Amino acid sequence: MHLPLLALLLFLPMLAQAHGLHDHGGGWLAGLIHPLLGLDHLLAALAVGLWAGTATGWARLALPLGFTLAMLLAAAVGHGGSSSLVPWIEPGIASSLLALGLMLAMRVTPHPLLAAPLLVLLAVTHGLAHGAEGPADGLTAYLTGLGATTLGLHLAGLTLARLLPEGITRLAGAGVLGSGLWALF
């Protein structure tokens, strides 16, 4: 029981360096791996799925799909990086964790007409970071892998939202909120 926790703790310093570990080449595999290497991106994608899992009807799938599409569009726009965007990308990502964590911890059920614009805004910060860190060549393949992993993480969050008791989901939200605070300060 304690061995997996110890293993996770050994890798936390590496995971916390979310935007310095992406020297894994270009193309589809780079896009596939990228969201898994940064704790901020990993937590945000899972939190989107968890939060969407508390929605009803078509919003359960529409919210994660909308987030992913907005993120991919922002990644395409941010490809190659822009020095004018750099100062607010990291605080924007930290703020996205704060917002998602707060929604989960407070058990705010997303109303699609209010949640969709919020998720698009949050997705843009992640997308710009992904795009700025993307490979010089093979952008389409990179974005395809990036989208596949992001959707997979959203689906994992959706599944967890259906399986976990509300208290655990709220606790996970508190953890995401804490990670956002940690990243912000």
Side-chain angles (χ1 to χ4, degrees):
M1 176 80 169
H2 296 292
L3 189 58
L5 180 60
L6 179 61
L8 176 64
L9 290 174
L10 289 174
F11 288 103
L12 279 179
M14 182 177 69
L15 290 172
Q17 302 274 328
H19 300 123
L21 298 173
H22 303 298
D23 280 340
H24 40 68
W28 183 75
L29 186 58
L32 203 64
I33 293 171
H34 188 101
L36 301 173
L37 292 180
L39 186 60
D40 52 353
H41 296 302
L42 181 68
L43 288 175
L46 286 170
V48 166
L50 280 169
W51 193 41
T54 66
T56 58
W58 58 271
R60 279 191 194 125
L61 293 178
L63 294 174
L65 286 173
F67 181 96
T68 303
L69 289 175
M71 182 198 67
L72 291 174
L73 287 172
V77 168
H79 185 253
S82 172
S83 58
S84 65
L85 298 175
V86 170
W88 70 271
I89 288 177
E90 291 299 328
I93 289 171
S95 297
S96 74
L97 293 173
L98 290 171
L100 289 165
L102 190 61
M103 297 300 171
L104 284 168
M106 293 182 63
R107 189 67 176 177
V108 175
T109 302
H111 186 282
L113 296 178
L114 299 174
L118 173 64
L119 287 180
V120 165
L121 180 64
L122 301 180
V124 166
T125 60
H126 288 271
L128 289 172
H130 285 309
E133 297 161 355
D137 297 323
L139 179 63
T140 302
Y142 171 76
L143 292 178
T144 303
L146 181 66
T149 298
T150 301
L151 277 175
L153 290 168
H154 291 331
L155 291 175
L158 277 167
T159 302
L160 288 171
R162 306 303 277 163
L163 296 175
L164 296 175
E166 180 182 327
I168 299 296
T169 303
R170 293 178 78 152
L171 187 60
V176 172
L177 178 65
S179 295
L181 286 171
W182 177 269
L184 199 57
F185 297 109

